[in-house]
Amino acid sequence: MTTIAVTGASGFCGAHVAATAAARGADVLCVGRRPGPVGRHVPWDAAREVPDLSGADLVVHCAAAVGDPVPGSPAEAAMRAVNVDGTSRLLQAAGDRPVVWVSSASVYAPGPGRSRITEDHPVRGHLNAYGRTKAAGEALALAAGAVVLRPRAVYGAGDPHLVPRLLSRVRRGLLMLPGPSVRLSLTAVENLADACLLAADWPPGAYNIADPTPYDRDEALCTVLSAHGVRARIGHIPLLVARAAAGTAETLTRLRPRTEPPLTRYAVDQLAHSVVLDVSKAESQGWKAGRGLLDYAAAVLAR
Ligand SMILES: NC(=O)c1ccc[n+]([C@@H]2O[C@H](COP(=O)([O-])OP(=O)(O)OC[C@H]3O[C@@H](n4cnc5c(N)ncnc54)[C@H](OP(=O)(O)O)[C@@H]3O)[C@@H](O)[C@H]2O)c1
């Protein structure tokens, strides 16, 4: 039986990876500060120590410090300790074992020009500490010969990030978004988990991972809101106004460095430009995304 070490299995994506691996018959080690949903817990604080990966045949690294702190803020050092130094410690422990390193499409350079991006799109110009530290961590993983997966906006059961944030942004039946609607790739957590478990056999390098087709932003968000029983109209803030508000929020947050701004240039960038991931490289390895947003909406409504 294959033994798979999954880091971050107490979190959203890692829990799905660990549960899917166990359902497919693997022995699972959940490596992290807290246990995962299945398997044996191997304690590890990525910010401090080298993990014990004894017995593992392969490693899927989902652990990361996530969030949207301003670049250069004290929070960036804490993120770096996990996303960069923690990666280095993980790679050291992994040795010759295959490593699948879960990265993010947040590593790609912001701005326009992402209406269909391959893995060669530039990795630079990050607007927050998350993008910067994920890019630095994945550079270490790539240099060590890992397979690096770049999902975008992962959604699914147990998501503690996107859907709660979206629901909290609806005020008086109105959701305000920057600029007119755009095309966006999103990644169902089941599609990511499937890729994580197949990718150990792929040639080393980076792979975009997303649902089969991109979504119209406004339609997709309405689909999610209505699945959660929230009726809301979408309003559009001019892009320049949204950018200026985000810049001001970030400047004010620098005065209270341990907090995250309510609106950031990163969030505006992620919502206001088309970002479509070309997944043909992963598909050429035999992976095919099977789930989409309508499956998620149906599952939420059936609960
Ligand atoms: N969710 C998305 O939309 C999205 C999009 C693109 C890429 N990703 C990537 O997917 C991966 C998983 O993200 P997620 O959404 O599942 O985040 P999450 O729910 O916040 O889970 C993060 C995991 O990392 C672990 N972790 C954090 N600091 C740690 C430390 N010091 N030592 C050990 N473990 C630590 C957490 O463990 P604790 O329980 O101990 O805190 C948790 O298990 C990340 O690499 C993220 O960059 C996510």
Side-chain angles (χ1 to χ4, degrees):
M1 186 190 287
T2 307
T3 300
I4 305 180
V6 181
T7 72
S10 59
F12 168 45
C13 301
H16 277 268
V17 172
T20 307
R24 292 181 187 179
D27 207 4
V28 178
L29 304 175
C30 293
V31 183
R33 294 182 296 188
R34 294 183 296 141
V38 292
R40 181 161 68 82
H41 179 214
V42 178
W44 179 47
D45 183 344
R48 294 174 196 283
E49 59 212 359
V50 175
D52 176 5
L53 299 178
S54 318
D57 301 305
L58 79 100
V59 184
V60 181
H61 184 57
C62 299
V66 304
D68 191 4
V70 178
S73 66
E76 180 158 1
M79 273 195 161
R80 185 161 287 276
V82 177
N83 297 350
V84 187
D85 305 337
T87 292
S88 171
R89 289 185 265 269
L90 177 97
L91 294 168
Q92 182 190 332
D96 293 335
R97 295 175 184 88
V99 174
V100 177
W101 199 90
V102 177
S103 184
S104 167
S106 301
V107 301
Y108 289 126
R114 288 176 289 169
S115 53
R116 184 149 207 100
I117 49 178
T118 66
E119 292 78 1
D120 298 327
H121 191 79
V123 169
R124 57 172 157 68
H126 306 108
L127 296 172
N128 67 3
Y130 175 68
R132 270 213 312 223
T133 58
K134 287 296 286 187
E138 76 152 47
L140 295 177
L142 288 169
V147 172
V148 162
L149 305 183
R150 293 174 179 160
R152 178 172 197 283
V154 184
Y155 64 91
D159 159 30
H161 303 297
L162 299 182
V163 169
R165 205 176 302 148
L166 173 66
L167 295 174
S168 75
R169 291 287 195 267
V170 178
R171 304 267 154 76
R172 296 171 194 269
L174 185 64
L175 176 68
M176 297 302 291
L177 294 171
S181 194
V182 290
R183 305 285 291 164
L184 294 176
S185 281
L186 306 175
T187 308
V189 71
E190 294 85 353
N191 294 336
L192 174 61
D194 190 42
C196 284
L197 296 174
L198 293 176
D201 295 332
W202 299 354
Y207 296 82
N208 289 335
I209 298 294
D211 293 357
T213 49
Y215 300 94
D216 174 87
R217 180 194 71 185
D218 291 3
E219 267 177 34
L221 296 183
C222 285
T223 301
V224 174
L225 289 173
S226 102
H228 285 270
V230 176
R231 287 170 66 94
R233 283 177 303 112
I234 305 250
H236 298 112
I237 313 171
L239 189 49
L240 285 177
V241 174
R243 277 208 195 107
T248 305
E250 288 189 15
T251 304
L252 291 174
T253 301
R254 286 181 203 280
L255 304 173
R256 296 170 59 215
R258 304 235 165 249
T259 58
E260 279 189 18
L263 181 66
T264 62
R265 291 172 302 147
Y266 170 80
V268 172
D269 175 73
Q270 291 291 314
L271 284 166
H273 297 289
S274 285
V275 186
V276 176
L277 303 182
D278 181 332
V279 294
S280 52
K281 188 176 171 194
E283 286 180 343
S284 74
Q285 296 302 320
W287 170 80
K288 189 101 188 120
R291 296 267 301 186
L293 205 52
L294 292 180
D295 301 307
Y296 167 78
V300 173
L301 286 167
R303 280 208 303 248

